[in-house]
């Protein structure tokens, strides 16, 4: 049988406190029959631990026989292995077969794969994300196989926690050639692992170098804004509040503060899980068909399944995978970062200066008259069953590449908040309402001098063109605070519709 050059495997990284001399501590206690074999791989110390389960009756046979009255018997077996290897003082573990399930999660770096992913993934070619919404016990998985941005994946960078991220990354092979490969990073790093010893060691060495020397990709650095609380006094107070919640005696009394939430390493197997086994100390294990809050009591493993939200003075914290985090600790930083993304690298529309005393309608008509490819649709309401009276204004200007351009001169937050909301409402109308699409196509034919858009048109680019009263460039610093929040909310909604969003500054005419 030919050996493939690479195989998709999960690679784990031990905590820095684990050395190769105690690397077997990475394994759980239920490997009594395993025989560790120490080897050397391309000059690096390594150990292979493997174990098989002898043939035994397939458990589903008994169930099928009870239903059908037949006598069906099959024997099954399973096996697995773990390769533990030391590369530049870092201890990696790679699972084969069922071997990954033997690793003790409390001895592993639970954010290793995610830390590598945000330093190596192409931010425009992200393919999947696992995100957690604190306080709900809710985990969301979003898949876009063709690739997308963080915005298009629907990640709320303020209200959600990214637990896993997948997409395309560029690697440098040992021979100096670059290759693009799919990478998925969470608690582990999953990619096409080389089946050649020296190539594997070289790639693990590159991973170490990336983690130590490479900063996060700017569009993904927000993932590291949320870090565990390390202050001992704060953690002690949070642990005390958690103990009080656990001792409340009534599930209903703490339901708003405690929830069951799946740890990131279990997400892949949960859809196929049919039973949960809960074991407390030396007590007999109990099996449940579903997992509910009342069944979670305090023990090491159960702790990782608990999510809690507590307050300390004006601050709010949440428990996630056995670590405490602060809610909103980087709210302002993240908000500013998102606005900067929208302002940067917008399309070059070459909009003319807005003359003093010129009304908005006059400016939009001026753009159409002096710039090729623009159509003024200001106050051209499209009537639908929902928007019956005045119709919905799809845009102020239709750009040369079918950009929906919303125009505003503003001296306060209110008109800008209205502008951003208008942009979202019009895009939603075109996306979901056939009357809006047909009406918009008719308006373009009427006003466009031969220009047409298809009647199935949906927006792909939405531009907010703004002139602030003082004539300064639109930036997070110059944009009014309420308007920043409104822009962020509109942009998230537009990205979820599949549209890219830009904010551009309309130049001010010279005095």
């Amino acid at each position: 049988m030919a050996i493939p050059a690479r195989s998709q495997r999960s690679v784990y990284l031990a905590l820095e406190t684990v050395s190769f001399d105690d690397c077997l501590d990475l394994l759980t206690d239920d490997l009594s029959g395993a025989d560790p074999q120490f080897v050397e791989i391309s000059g690096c110390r390594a150990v292979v631990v493997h174990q098989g389960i002898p043939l035994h009756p397939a458990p589903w046979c008994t169930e099928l026989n009870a239903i059908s009255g037949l006598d069906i018997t099959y024997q099954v077996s399973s096996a697995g292995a773990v390769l533990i290897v030391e590369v530049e003082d870092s201890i990696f573990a790679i699972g084969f077969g069922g071997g990954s399930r033997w690793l003790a999660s409390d001895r592993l770096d639970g954010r290793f794969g995610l830390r590598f992913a945000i330093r190596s993934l192409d931010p425009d070619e992200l393919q999947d994300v696992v995100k957690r919404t604190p306080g709900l016990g809710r985990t969301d998985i979003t898949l876009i196989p063709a690739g997308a941005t963080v915005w298009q994946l629907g990640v709320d960078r303020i209200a959600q926690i990214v637990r896993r991220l997948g997409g395309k990354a560029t690697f440098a092979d040992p021979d100096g050639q670059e290759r693009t490969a799919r990478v998925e990073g969470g608690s582990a790093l999953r990619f096409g692992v080389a089946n050649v010893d020296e190539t594997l060691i070289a790639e693990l060495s590159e991973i170490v170098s990336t983690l130590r020397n490479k900063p996060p990709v700017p569009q993904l650095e927000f993932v590291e804004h949320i870090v565990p609380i390390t202050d001992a006094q704060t953690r002690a107070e949070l642990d005390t509040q958690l103990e009080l919640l656990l001792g409340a005696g009534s599930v209903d009394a703490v339901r708003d503060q405690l929830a069951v939430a799946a740890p990131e390493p279990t997400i892949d197997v949960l859809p196929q899980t049919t039973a949960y086994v809960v074991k407390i100390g030396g007590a007999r294990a109990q099996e449940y068909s579903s997992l509910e809050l009342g069944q979670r009591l305090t023990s090491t493993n159960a702790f990782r399944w608990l999510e809690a939200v507590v307050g300390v003075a004006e601050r709010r914290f949440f428990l996630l995978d056995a670590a405490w985090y602060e809610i909103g600790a980087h709210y302002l930083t993240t908000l500013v970062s998102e606005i900067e993304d929208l302002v940067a690298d917008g399309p070059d529309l070459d909009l003319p200066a807005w003359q003093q005393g010129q009304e908005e309608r006059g400016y939009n008509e001026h753009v159409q008259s002096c710039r090729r490819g623009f159509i003024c649709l200001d106050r051209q309401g499209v009537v639908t069953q929902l928007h019956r009276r005045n119709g919905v204004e799809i845009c102020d200007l239709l750009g040369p590449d079918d950009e929906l351009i919303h125009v505003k001169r503003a001296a306060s937050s209110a008109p800008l908040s209205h502008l951003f909301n208008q942009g979202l409402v019009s895009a939603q109308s075109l996306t979901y309402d056939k009357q809006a699409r047909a009406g918009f196509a008719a308006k373009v034919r009427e006003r466009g001098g031969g220009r047409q858009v298809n009647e199935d048109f949906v927006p792909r680019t939405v531009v907010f063109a703004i002139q602030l009263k003082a004539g300064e460039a639109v930036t997070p610093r110059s944009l009014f605070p309420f308007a920043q929040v409104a822009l962020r909310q509109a942009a998230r909604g537009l990205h979820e519709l599949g549209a890219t969003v830009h904010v551009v500054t309309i130049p001010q005419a010279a005095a």
Side-chain angles (χ1 to χ4, degrees):
M1 179 179 177
I3 300 175
R6 299 182 179 277
S7 300
Q8 288 290 320
R9 303 200 185 281
S10 294
V11 179
Y12 300 82
L13 179 66
L15 294 172
E16 292 183 354
T17 54
V18 177
S19 68
F20 188 79
D21 293 335
D22 56 4
C23 67
L24 293 180
D25 290 344
L26 292 175
L27 304 175
T28 56
D29 296 332
D30 54 355
L31 292 172
S32 56
D35 181 22
Q37 294 179 268
F38 290 86
V39 296
E40 186 177 284
I41 300 177
S42 194
C44 296
R45 295 189 293 174
V47 60
V48 175
V49 182
H50 55 93
Q51 186 179 55
I53 300 176
L55 282 170
H56 58 279
W60 54 265
C61 290
T62 302
E63 300 163 7
L64 177 58
N65 292 339
I67 296 171
S68 66
L70 300 176
D71 185 15
I72 298 173
T73 303
Y74 285 100
Q75 299 288 312
V76 296
S77 65
S78 61
V82 174
L83 167 65
I84 301 175
V85 58
E86 180 185 44
V87 179
E88 298 184 24
D89 298 324
S90 293
I91 310 299
F92 291 95
I94 305 175
F96 294 76
S100 295
R101 295 194 293 271
W102 305 343
L103 294 169
S105 58
D106 59 346
R107 306 301 304 278
L108 301 173
D109 181 341
R111 294 175 62 84
F112 153 60
L114 189 59
R115 290 195 296 118
F116 180 83
I118 65 174
R119 288 166 169 78
S120 62
L121 290 177
D122 182 336
D124 296 321
E125 294 288 343
L126 304 177
Q127 296 174 321
D128 60 86
V129 63
V130 174
K131 53 200 174 185
R132 176 80 67 81
T133 303
L136 300 177
R138 169 178 145 186
T139 299
D140 296 306
I141 302 174
T142 304
L143 305 175
I144 303 182
T149 65
V150 167
W151 278 104
Q152 293 165 327
L153 280 172
V155 177
D156 188 326
R157 290 188 265 185
I158 291 174
Q160 293 178 317
I161 314 302
V162 173
R163 303 299 290 154
R164 187 189 298 177
L165 202 57
K168 296 179 180 178
T170 300
F171 287 87
D173 281 340
D175 59 4
Q177 299 296 313
E178 288 191 344
R179 66 182 179 89
T180 300
R182 171 171 166 73
V183 165
E184 186 176 78
S187 56
L189 180 62
R190 186 166 179 81
F191 67 103
V193 175
N195 291 322
V196 178
D197 53 0
E198 63 267 23
T199 305
L200 171 62
I201 298 304
E203 291 182 347
L204 294 179
S205 179
E206 182 186 354
I207 290 172
V208 172
S209 176
T210 296
L211 292 176
R212 291 177 179 175
N213 305 317
K214 192 174 179 181
V217 175
Q219 296 92 324
L220 302 177
E221 64 180 351
F222 74 92
V223 173
E224 288 199 338
H225 287 171
I226 299 179
V227 296
I229 301 298
T230 56
D231 176 65
Q233 181 176 349
T234 302
R235 287 172 56 186
E237 187 168 355
L238 293 171
D239 288 342
T240 299
Q241 291 206 34
L242 179 62
E243 289 181 11
L244 294 174
L245 289 175
L246 293 172
S250 168
V251 169
D252 291 336
V254 296
R255 195 174 295 279
D256 290 340
Q257 291 180 269
L258 280 178
V260 175
E264 187 272 333
T266 69
I267 290 171
D268 291 333
V269 299
L270 280 179
Q272 292 80 41
T273 300
T274 58
Y276 301 84
V277 175
V278 179
K279 189 174 188 300
I280 309 299
R284 181 180 177 182
Q286 297 196 33
E287 184 175 306
Y288 300 91
S289 59
S290 63
L291 204 58
E292 299 176 359
L293 184 58
Q295 293 149 8
R296 307 313 303 163
L297 301 178
T298 50
S299 72
T300 302
N301 292 332
F303 192 41
R304 297 183 65 88
W305 286 79
L306 278 178
E307 180 176 289
V309 176
V310 300
V312 176
E314 75 280 2
R315 301 167 70 188
R316 297 178 70 235
F317 300 86
F318 66 94
L319 181 71
L320 173 66
D321 275 0
W324 287 105
Y325 301 81
E326 184 172 1
I327 297 175
H330 295 275
Y331 172 76
L332 181 59
T333 301
T334 303
L335 178 61
V336 169
S337 174
E338 291 189 7
I339 301 302
E340 287 176 340
D341 288 348
L342 300 174
V343 173
D345 301 325
D348 184 11
L349 297 175
D350 189 27
L351 293 172
W354 195 318
Q355 302 296 321
Q356 292 294 326
Q358 196 172 39
E359 297 295 328
E360 182 179 309
R361 177 69 176 272
Y363 174 77
N364 291 325
E365 291 176 340
H366 175 61
V367 174
Q368 178 173 326
S369 67
C370 71
R371 294 289 190 270
R372 293 186 61 183
F374 287 85
I375 303 174
C376 175
L377 295 173
D378 189 3
R379 303 183 190 177
Q380 297 297 308
V382 173
V383 177
T384 68
Q385 188 173 358
L386 178 62
H387 303 280
R388 298 179 182 179
R389 179 170 298 180
N390 298 318
V392 56
E393 184 179 275
I394 299 301
C395 59
D396 293 306
L397 294 166
L398 182 65
D401 294 320
D402 291 339
E403 304 97 334
L404 299 187
I405 305 171
H406 302 272
V407 175
K408 186 65 64 180
R409 173 186 273 173
S412 65
S413 292
L416 289 179
S417 297
H418 175 77
L419 180 78
F420 302 143
N421 189 57
Q422 175 190 342
L424 177 58
V425 170
S426 73
Q428 290 172 332
S429 298
L430 290 175
T431 301
Y432 300 123
D433 192 334
K434 63 182 180 181
Q435 287 182 316
R437 291 192 292 273
F440 177 62
K443 290 290 184 183
V444 173
R445 287 194 301 270
E446 176 188 330
R447 304 275 299 178
R451 174 96 167 267
Q452 296 190 40
V453 297
N454 293 332
E455 292 201 354
D456 63 352
F457 173 86
V458 292
R460 288 291 169 255
T461 304
V462 175
V463 179
F464 296 108
I466 299 170
Q467 184 179 95
L468 298 178
K469 184 177 181 181
E472 56 190 325
V474 179
T475 67
R477 183 179 295 274
S478 64
L479 201 59
F480 312 108
F482 281 112
Q484 291 186 44
V485 177
L487 173 58
R488 174 183 179 273
Q489 292 299 101
R492 287 200 69 241
L494 288 165
H495 280 112
E496 289 175 1
L497 295 175
T500 58
V501 182
H502 301 284
V503 178
V504 300
T505 301
I506 298 176
Q508 186 176 46

